Structures are given as structure tokens and as C-alpha cells.
Amino acid sequence: MLPIEGTLVEKVRKLEALHAGTKIDGEREAARRAAERIRARLAEFRTAERDVELHYRMPDPWKRRLFLALCRRYGLKPYRESGRHYSTVQVHAPRSFHERTLWPQYKALSEELDAHLDELTTRVIREAIDDDVSEATEQPSTKALPAVSTD
């Protein structure tokens, strides 16, 4: 495992422990206990309120994978009805679980993943292609040339 991957895995475990409300150290054991606490919290929410069908639109495949794995980790069964866009994910869960646990944890993990992917991409480009990884410079519009899209 690369050093950057190791730190990402460690941060993901710590974020899960934070969202579970646990303060236990010891990486794998803490992550296991955190997941158990979150599954217990989901069970509590389900005794207090009914599940609703939640719809998520996730066009980014990496973030969709993260969300699907997070749902499955807590015993939720994500799905997509036939005919829906590939980026649509549906889940049955209590709304309060979504608002207080699932979505905040997903957002925190997603931000961490973005930061690591950005760092990794920048490092690979610098080492293999060019040191300049800055954005394109902004210039005044030149209407004389036709624009061509590559999309």
C-alpha cells in the first residue's frame, strides 16, 4: 500500500469513529465498533420513525462507489429502479438517519477522498508529465476563432 493510501484509510476509519461517537483507539477495532454503533443507531431510528425512499443523484462514479459501500456497511440496500439514470441511487432509511448520520458522514468522507485524489493526481502529473499543474490562464475573449468542444 502506498503511503498516501495508508493515510487515507486511517482518516476514513477516524471519520467513521467520529460519526459513530466513539473515542476508542486501535484502528480496525475502532472501525468495527464504530460501524456497530452506527448500525445500532439506525435500528433506534427505525423504532422511532418509518423508512422513506431516499433518492440520490451521484454522477461521479468514485463518490457513488463510496456512498454505496457506506450504505452496505450499515445494512442498507441501495438500488436503482430500471429506467432510472445510472447515477441515481435509492435507499430505504429513516430520514433522520440520513440527515444526522449517513449524509454527514458521506460528505466528510467524500471531501477527504477528493483531497487525496487531488494530491495524488497532482503528484503523478508533476512527476510524470510537467511541474506546472496550475489551471489555464484567463484571457480576454477572442470571438474571431470558432470554438470547438471535445465533449
Side-chain angles (χ1 to χ4, degrees):
M1 188 173 350
L2 296 172
I4 194 169
E5 291 174 26
T7 57
L8 179 58
V9 169
E10 183 180 318
K11 285 183 180 183
V12 165
R13 288 182 178 148
K14 286 180 180 177
L15 281 169
E16 183 176 44
L18 174 71
H19 284 275
T22 187
K23 307 218 182 329
I24 301 168
D25 269 337
E27 296 174 20
R28 289 199 177 173
E29 183 61 19
R32 186 187 63 74
R33 288 185 185 181
E36 286 175 6
R37 287 181 60 133
I38 291 175
R39 283 190 289 270
R41 186 180 302 155
L42 174 59
E44 288 174 23
F45 281 122
R46 282 186 162 151
T47 62
E49 64 183 278
R50 298 175 64 160
D51 282 0
V52 295
E53 185 177 71
L54 301 163
H55 294 244
Y56 303 88
R57 185 172 182 278
M58 301 184 155
D60 183 309
W62 309 116
K63 290 183 181 182
R64 187 172 50 252
R65 281 186 188 179
L66 172 64
F67 185 76
L68 293 170
L70 198 59
C71 288
R72 291 176 180 134
R73 181 169 180 86
Y74 302 134
L76 299 172
K77 294 180 173 34
Y79 64 96
R80 177 177 52 88
E81 291 176 344
S82 60
R84 293 221 180 241
H85 290 279
Y86 185 74
S87 60
T88 299
V89 177
Q90 295 164 254
V91 177
H92 288 261
R95 184 171 300 283
S96 55
F97 179 74
H98 158 80
E99 293 170 355
R100 296 183 197 164
T101 305
L102 182 63
W103 196 248
Q105 185 179 12
Y106 163 75
K107 293 298 284 182
L109 292 170
S110 178
E111 288 170 12
E112 197 61 47
L113 184 61
D114 280 346
H116 276 275
L117 289 174
D118 181 61
E119 182 182 336
L120 178 61
T121 302
T122 299
R123 189 175 72 210
V124 167
I125 291 170
R126 275 199 173 118
E127 291 177 13
I129 300 171
D130 193 273
D131 282 338
D132 186 358
V133 293
S134 62
E135 288 293 324
T137 57
E138 191 172 323
Q139 296 181 357
S141 177
T142 55
K143 296 290 182 184
L145 298 175
V148 178
S149 175
T150 60
D151 292 343

